[in-house]
Amino acid sequence: MEVLNDILGYKNRKIYQDTECFSFSLDSIMLANFATIRLRDKKIADLGCGNGVIPLVLSLRTTKEIVGVEIQEKLAEMAKKSVIYNDLEQQIKIVTSNIKNLGNEYFEKFDLITCNPPYFKVNEKNFFNESYEKMVARHEIEMNLTDLLIIVKKMLKNNGNFAIVHRPERLMDILFEFRKNNIEPKRIQFVYEKVSKDATVVLIEGQKCGSPGVKVEKPIIMYDDAGNMTKEYAQLQIEVRRWIKRVMMVMLVYI
């Protein structure tokens, strides 16, 4: 069943979702906030954009052009509906395609690329007791890390940035693929649900043709052991509100 919701409390951004498809998670919100958007950046892409949550949140941080690419037609259509509902057709374009089929018109055109890819490898032990739509979103059926980094290298301009969210246990796989494709890791940030637990998410940003040197950011710990929101997590939400105000001011200048 298709529903229209706020994006995790962003009352100025609505998104269409379907209960039969893989819904966006907090990981996507964190990635959209983690990625570096520079003043000189002109064009952004989100690969495997699903129903469009990352492009919609990025549009709160910048007025630059954003392209979302999604292989599943049903999800891509929901993303397009959300773009229209939020009156963002002039900023966000949704493309229905397998990233491996993208042509030369997308190569060396982007200053920033983001991706919340499928987390799990496909092997003989996998048992897919779920819909095909959810399998594609969760497992490396249509796209694996090697496929992803090959196309990211082609799409990025020199010195362009690539930001990804993934599971910490895949960290070495990710760093290996970054280096193999001339994308130098520059920032890493771990996310913990509670301080007493292991990291559940890792955010990584690299730069094409970048110089060596990586910064490990202060971790995000969402809740203390008593279940209270931490200062780090609260500050993230404050930063989001600041970005919203900043974009609104830029928009007023052009009205």
Side-chain angles (χ1 to χ4, degrees), residues 37-42 64:
I37 302 177
R38 300 163 296 188
L39 289 176
R40 69 174 184 268
D41 291 348
K42 296 180 179 180
K64 302 302 174 64

Side-chain angles (χ1 to χ4, degrees), residues 28-159:
S28 294
I29 304 297
M30 288 187 175
L31 176 62
N33 291 319
F34 171 78
T36 301
I37 302 177
R38 300 163 296 188
L39 289 176
R40 69 174 184 268
D41 291 348
K42 296 180 179 180
K43 197 167 185 177
I44 299 169
D46 180 48
L47 303 182
C49 70
N51 59 347
V53 62
I54 291 177
L56 289 171
V57 176
L58 287 174
S59 72
L60 294 169
R61 297 184 55 197
T62 181
T63 57
K64 302 302 174 64
E65 179 183 356
I66 303 170
V67 177
V69 182
E70 173 54 45
I71 189 173
Q72 297 191 57
E73 187 172 349
K74 189 173 184 179
L75 287 173
E77 288 303 313
M78 281 193 289
K80 291 175 184 177
K81 287 177 64 176
S82 296
V83 169
I84 293 170
Y85 185 92
N86 291 280
D87 196 24
L88 292 168
E89 301 99 307
Q90 299 302 312
Q91 183 181 10
I92 301 175
K93 176 185 177 183
I94 304 298
V95 177
T96 308
S97 175
N98 187 318
I99 65 166
K100 292 182 283 188
N101 296 334
L102 294 176
N104 291 335
E105 67 269 27
Y106 293 96
F107 294 169
E108 297 186 358
K109 296 292 193 299
F110 294 90
D111 303 287
L112 168 65
I113 298 175
T114 59
C115 185
N116 180 0
Y119 288 161
F120 305 109
K121 293 182 178 181
V122 176
N123 56 54
E124 294 178 357
K125 296 181 180 180
N126 285 136
F127 178 68
F128 299 136
N129 187 23
E130 51 193 6
S131 69
Y132 179 76
E133 289 81 5
K134 291 182 179 179
M135 283 194 294
V136 170
R138 292 171 174 161
H139 303 273
E140 293 180 335
I141 296 172
E142 297 288 353
M143 174 183 73
N144 59 32
L145 281 172
T146 299
D147 300 328
L148 175 61
L149 269 296
I150 287 173
I151 193 66
V152 166
K153 179 183 178 180
K154 292 179 179 179
M155 294 175 66
L156 277 179
K157 298 176 183 177
N158 284 345
N159 298 316

Side-chain angles (χ1 to χ4, degrees), residues 157-173:
K157 298 176 183 177
N158 284 345
N159 298 316
N161 288 337
F162 173 54
I164 186 173
V165 60
H166 220 294
R167 294 293 182 93
E169 56 263 33
R170 299 293 303 275
L171 177 60
M172 293 310 299
D173 294 337

Side-chain angles (χ1 to χ4, degrees), residues 228-239:
N228 301 310
M229 185 183 296
T230 62
K231 291 181 179 180
E232 294 92 343
Y233 191 38
Q235 185 62 36
L236 175 63
Q237 298 190 23
I238 291 171
E239 287 299 320

